[in-house]
Amino acid sequence: MKQLFLILAIFLLPLAANAVNPGEILKDPVLEKRARAISKGLRCVVCQNQSIDDSDAQLARDLRVLVREQLVAGDSDQAVVDYVVSRYGDFVLLRPPVKAATLVLWFGPVVIALIGAMGLVLFFRRQKRYAAEINKEVGE
Amino acid sequence: MNRLMYYVPLVLLGILAVYFSAGLGRNPATLESVLINQQVPEFSLPPIEGSSKGIAKVDLKDQVVLVNIFGSWCKACWIEHPFLIDLKEKGVVPVYGINWRESNRQAGPRWLKKFGDPYTLIGDDPKSKGAIAFGVSGAPETFFVNKHGIIRYKHMGPITEQNWNDTLKPILEVLRKE
C-alpha cells in the first residue's frame, strides 16, 4: 500500500517545464544560470505569451543560443537584454519597464483602487452622519 | 449635481467599451518594428550553397533596396515568390534575400532553382543571426531601405500585387526621393 502510494506520488511530481535542449546548456553553471534568468524575462515573439525559456519555437531556441553566446563573449546581463530590446522593442520584455508610455499600465490600478477607497470612505461617513441625524430625531 | 453622479459608471463603461473594441481590431501578430527609421543593423551572412557571395550591410549601400526574409519551408513565401520574380524581371527594385533557417544546406538553393531566383544577393541564415538582427518574428518579412541605409518600412507577410499597388509601391516612390 505504501509502495503504491509512493509510485503514485512520483507521477504527481511537478516536472520542470522548460524548452532548453541539453545541447544548449552551457558548461559553466554560473553563466547558464544567468542565461536562464535572462531567457525567462524575454518574450517569444512567435508564441507571444511564452518566454523564450518556455517556448519550443525555433526562433526562441535561436534566441536562447544567442543569449548564451553573448554571455560567453563576456557581455553583462543588461547588455544582452538591451541587444534583444534594440531589435524587438520593449514588447519582448515580459516585465514592461516603467516609463512615460507605461505609467498608466503600472500605476493605473493603484489610482483606480484609491478612487474606490475614497468612494467607500465617503459612503460610510455619510451613512454615519445620516444615522446620527436619525438618532437625534428619534431621541428628540 | 448628485443626480449626475449616477451617470459616472455609465460614462466609464462607455469609455472602456470604446477602448476595448478598438483593441479588438488590432492584430497582435503585427509588431511595430523598433528598427523603423534606424540604420540597417550590422550583419554579415555567408553565401548559400552554390553561390560565391553572401550578403552584408555594405552591399545595401547607396541604393533603395528591399531586404526579404524567406525560406523554402515558409508557405507564404511560395505565395509571394512569383511577384518577386516579376519585380526582378521588370527591374523595379533590387531585392536582397535572407534565406532563413533552412533544415539543410540544399533546401534553399533547390527551391530557388526550381522556382527562379529573384534576389540580387542572398545570405544563408540557419541560426537566425540575420533574422534576429532585423528583429524578424516570422517569414516572409520585407524591409524597405533607403539609399542612406535607413530602414523606412517593414512589411509582414507576403507581398501581393494588391498590397504592392495599394501600399508598397507608393512607399517605394517616397523612398526614391529621399
Side-chain angles (χ1 to χ4, degrees):
Chain A
M1 187 61 204
K2 201 174 167 190
Q3 252 176 350
L4 182 72
F5 176 77
L6 276 175
I7 289 168
L8 283 176
I10 287 171
F11 283 106
L12 294 174
L13 271 180
L15 293 171
N18 64 68
V20 183
N21 296 325
E24 297 169 18
I25 294 170
L26 295 174
K27 288 206 176 66
D28 182 343
V30 179
L31 279 188
E32 177 61 23
K33 209 173 157 194
R34 282 169 60 200
R36 292 295 303 274
I38 294 172
S39 304
K40 284 199 169 87
L42 293 176
R43 185 194 303 273
C44 166
V45 286
V46 179
C47 30
Q48 298 181 353
N49 289 324
Q50 281 188 305
S51 73
I52 60 169
D53 196 58
D54 292 331
S55 173
D56 282 321
Q58 284 280 343
L59 184 58
R61 195 184 67 88
D62 290 342
L63 271 165
R64 285 197 299 271
V65 171
L66 182 113
V67 163
R68 284 168 174 77
E69 280 173 4
Q70 294 197 345
L71 286 179
V72 168
D75 285 358
S76 71
D77 293 6
Q78 194 56 46
V80 175
V81 172
D82 286 349
Y83 175 76
V84 180
V85 169
S86 75
R87 296 300 172 237
Y88 289 99
D90 286 339
F91 179 71
V92 289
L93 298 173
L94 285 170
R95 189 187 164 85
V98 182
K99 55 187 202 182
T102 59
L103 282 181
V104 174
L105 177 70
W106 275 98
F107 300 109
V110 179
V111 171
I112 288 170
L114 281 178
I115 291 171
M118 235 162 67
L120 272 180
V121 168
L122 285 179
F123 175 78
F124 282 118
R125 269 171 57 181
R126 212 169 66 175
Q127 289 257 305
K128 224 164 134 184
R129 210 173 53 216
Y130 205 54
E133 264 169 37
I134 289 175
N135 278 342
K136 222 165 96 187
E137 272 171 36
V138 172
E140 269 170 1
Chain B
M1 172 57 208
N2 259 339
R3 230 155 232 286
L4 279 179
M5 286 286 281
Y6 293 134
Y7 292 99
V8 168
L10 197 66
V11 172
L12 280 178
L13 179 72
I15 292 170
L16 287 178
V18 169
Y19 182 75
F20 288 127
S21 57
L24 277 181
R26 283 176 52 203
N27 179 0
T30 326
L31 306 179
E32 203 158 301
S33 175
V34 280
L35 290 170
I36 302 294
N37 296 331
Q38 304 274 331
Q39 274 285 328
V40 169
E42 287 298 339
F43 76 106
S44 173
L45 295 169
I48 58 169
E49 195 153 284
S51 160
S52 57
K53 196 169 173 352
I55 175 175
K57 186 185 172 186
V58 284
D59 297 316
L60 311 177
K61 252 172 90 179
D62 301 328
Q63 49 177 348
V64 175
V65 298
L66 309 190
V67 178
N68 178 251
I69 283 82
F70 73 99
S72 66
W73 48 269
C74 144
K75 286 296 168 249
C77 301
W78 291 55
I79 294 172
E80 78 173 356
H81 196 75
F83 191 77
L84 295 183
I85 298 274
D86 213 36
L87 287 182
K88 176 170 190 159
E89 278 169 0
K90 291 187 181 134
V92 179
V93 62
V95 182
Y96 287 77
I98 293 179
N99 189 194
W100 187 26
R101 238 175 41 204
E102 295 292 357
S103 56
N104 63 69
R105 294 272 293 152
Q106 285 78 41
R110 202 186 297 137
W111 186 68
L112 291 168
K113 198 174 253 174
K114 194 165 171 192
F115 296 105
D117 178 358
Y119 301 107
T120 308
L121 285 174
I122 302 172
D124 192 14
D125 193 18
K127 299 267 180 262
S128 303
K129 289 274 146 62
I132 292 170
F134 276 90
V136 165
S137 58
E141 281 186 18
T142 309
F143 293 85
F144 286 60
V145 180
N146 74 11
K147 56 175 170 284
H148 307 293
I150 311 275
I151 296 175
R152 295 285 283 130
Y153 189 76
K154 163 168 130 167
H155 177 74
M156 297 180 78
I159 296 176
T160 61
E161 187 152 4
Q162 190 181 352
N163 62 34
W164 179 264
N165 287 331
D166 292 350
T167 322
L168 303 176
K169 198 172 151 205
I171 289 169
L172 187 69
E173 269 149 25
V174 171
L175 295 205
R176 289 237 159 86
K177 294 188 191 109
E178 289 182 350

